[in-house]
Amino acid sequence: MATAVTTAPGLAEVPDVRDWARRAGALSPVLAVIGLLLVPGSGGAQGGTGGTGTVADAASGLLVLICLVRILRGGTRPLTRTAAVVLGLPVFGVCLAAITSNDPASSLPGVARYLQVFVLVPAAVLLMIRDRRDFAVVAWGLVGLALLQGAVGVTQYLTGTGASYQGEDIRAVGTFGATDVMGMATVVAYGLVTVVGLALGSGPGRARTAALVCVGLLVVPLVLSFSRGAWIATVLACGIQLLLGGVRRAARVALAVGALAVVLVGGFGVGSTMVEERVTSITRVTAAPDQSVTDRYTMWAAAGRMWRSEPLTGVGLKGFPQYRDSNASVALSSGSDTAGAGAGFRKQPLLSPHNMYLLVLGEQGLIGLLALAGSWLALLVAALRRRRAGADCALVASGLLAWQLIDFFYADIGGPSTVLMSVVFGLAAWWALAPDAEGPVEVRGA
């Protein structure tokens, strides 16, 4: 009897409909967290450790509970020692910051939020994914959410029903509303980075063709989000993916993207004037910053002063709003103006420095920052080390991690889209830490 040896299935292979349906059913707790982000939120996008209470957050809690039940019923060790250390490292810094806080009781919600986003949900996603085809189902789930949110955002721009931007209701925000203008940009960026990784890592076939089509579709809503931080993080993350996929290919794709940008902005005028102004403003952040940039610099400085007052453990979780005014200069405004997308005018309070590293440094001190950043860096290094075992998974995981770590220079946790960040960390953690992520060799009788 002849024997055929094939490598484990990768993302380039497109399973049949029944296989996709079966896997989607098994992964339904994860996909529910992703899909429920389409439900419009009723609250504001709080910075720091706020912003919980959405249906997607509730679904993430159910995901963790289901995972726990499976572990107890299975009776096996759920995580490898390395995975337990890497994912559990943030627990030390978070708990220490809460214990040493001047108001431990008010820090407890922050403990729950950090453990949800950076420990529990990522670990649950890692345990739910069994192989690279499961990875593909979750990855395409991210893309599907990005396409739907992007479609809503483009419609908002075309119909003038988006969030207010320069006096016009044209900013694409999807279903997240005017109080969370970064929500849709984050979701679309996740989807774009994912499909770039799929396109670069897959061979010729339906999966690669679908990924390339999605790249073109997702670029437009990302541009129309007018989010400078998301633009920067996406360009850099995709650039890293291109370099990992080969220098020659990176050069060819860069030329193609440049030509596409000329056609979209120059030829069809996709947000040309405002996009040009927004892009130009990136280079003026020091020479002539607008008020939003001034506020951000002021809050960054305030977070630095908090850290200097408590260098090892910080001022405590959820402590930034309490200590902000005593550490910020008079240049800080009372809040950011939000309007449009079905909501009236309101002042959105500035409750975080919009820089994850400085938020952690100010609230958790040097110990907390080393614990969290050490966990993220370990994930990135482990994902890159496995890149030869599966270019598709490696490029997706590395790209998503790179995007998030770059975006953390301009944003922090807060708002409904934060729970999706935990799914992204879990997806990357599976590729980086799961012992069988590289896939076994199948031996099938002919």
Side-chain angles (χ1 to χ4, degrees):
M1 182 172 62
T3 302
V5 180
T6 61
T7 58
L11 306 192
E13 297 184 32
V14 181
D16 59 38
V17 175
R18 287 179 297 179
D19 187 36
W20 271 92
R22 177 176 59 82
R23 291 176 181 276
L27 293 166
S28 57
V30 180
L31 298 178
V33 177
I34 297 173
L36 287 173
L37 282 168
L38 289 168
V39 178
S42 57
Q46 300 180 38
T49 51
T52 58
T54 66
V55 289
D57 282 303
S60 74
L62 184 60
L63 166 63
V64 173
L65 182 61
I66 291 172
C67 234
L68 180 61
V69 171
R70 289 186 180 182
I71 291 171
L72 295 176
R73 291 180 62 182
T76 58
R77 179 189 292 181
L79 296 172
T80 65
R81 184 176 301 175
T82 301
V85 170
V86 171
L87 291 178
L89 193 58
V91 177
F92 176 71
V94 168
C95 292
L96 181 63
I99 293 172
T100 58
S101 170
N102 294 328
D103 188 0
S106 65
S107 295
L108 288 179
V111 174
R113 186 61 160 168
Y114 273 96
L115 295 185
Q116 172 205 10
V117 175
F118 298 116
V119 181
L120 297 177
V121 176
V125 173
L126 184 157
L127 293 171
M128 292 292 293
I129 298 175
R130 298 162 298 178
D131 53 34
R132 290 171 64 187
R133 282 185 172 170
D134 278 2
F135 184 101
V137 171
V138 178
W140 281 106
L142 289 176
V143 176
L145 174 66
L147 289 170
L148 291 173
Q149 288 285 359
V152 174
V154 172
T155 302
Q156 290 170 332
Y157 174 81
L158 295 175
T159 59
T161 56
S164 178
Y165 179 75
Q166 294 187 0
E168 300 182 55
D169 293 343
I170 58 170
R171 188 169 190 174
V173 292
T175 63
F176 294 99
T179 56
D180 187 16
V181 294
M182 283 293 297
M184 188 214 73
T186 299
V187 170
V188 171
Y190 283 154
L192 184 56
V193 170
T194 298
V195 290
V196 167
L198 294 174
L200 292 173
S202 302
R206 287 179 293 169
R208 185 179 186 185
T209 301
L212 290 173
V213 171
C214 291
V215 169
L217 292 175
L218 290 174
V219 166
V220 177
L222 181 63
V223 170
L224 299 180
S225 70
F226 297 104
S227 173
R228 292 172 294 197
W231 291 350
I232 294 171
T234 303
V235 169
L236 293 179
C238 291
I240 292 171
Q241 289 176 307
L242 286 170
L243 291 175
L244 290 174
V247 177
R248 290 184 179 180
R249 176 187 285 183
R252 293 196 301 268
V253 173
L255 290 174
V257 170
L260 179 62
V262 171
V263 171
L264 287 176
V265 179
F268 293 102
V270 179
S272 55
T273 303
M274 291 186 176
V275 169
E276 182 181 356
E277 292 177 355
R278 194 67 166 170
V279 171
T280 304
S281 70
I282 296 175
T283 64
R284 297 198 308 262
V285 292
T286 56
D290 55 36
Q291 185 58 49
S292 66
V293 175
T294 300
D295 286 340
R296 188 161 301 189
Y297 285 163
T298 305
M299 291 188 293
W300 288 2
R305 293 188 185 97
M306 293 178 200
W307 169 65
R308 285 191 290 273
S309 67
E310 297 287 346
L312 291 180
T313 57
V315 298
L317 294 174
K318 296 183 70 67
F320 184 87
Q322 179 182 353
Y323 291 91
R324 181 199 62 186
D325 292 342
S326 60
N327 288 278
S329 70
V330 294
L332 183 66
S333 67
S334 59
S336 59
D337 299 339
T338 63
F345 175 83
R346 61 174 294 185
K347 279 281 187 182
Q348 189 72 17
L350 303 174
L351 303 179
S352 74
H354 296 290
N355 180 306
M356 189 65 195
Y357 304 107
L358 290 177
L359 175 66
V360 175
L361 191 63
E363 292 189 343
Q364 300 181 42
L366 189 59
I367 295 175
L369 180 62
L370 290 176
L372 264 173
S375 175
W376 302 334
L377 184 60
L379 285 178
L380 182 59
V381 171
L384 289 173
R385 288 182 63 184
R386 286 183 168 179
R387 66 185 183 276
R388 296 187 183 279
D392 38 26
C393 293
L395 288 173
V396 172
S398 302
L400 288 172
L401 282 172
W403 188 95
Q404 193 60 68
L405 297 184
I406 294 168
D407 186 68
F408 274 160
F409 285 102
Y410 311 98
D412 48 50
I413 60 174
S417 61
T418 299
V419 71
L420 189 63
M421 180 196 305
S422 63
V423 174
V424 165
F425 273 113
L427 193 65
W430 177 83
W431 175 249
L433 302 173
D436 55 348
E438 299 180 28
V441 175
E442 289 185 7
V443 181
R444 297 184 297 191

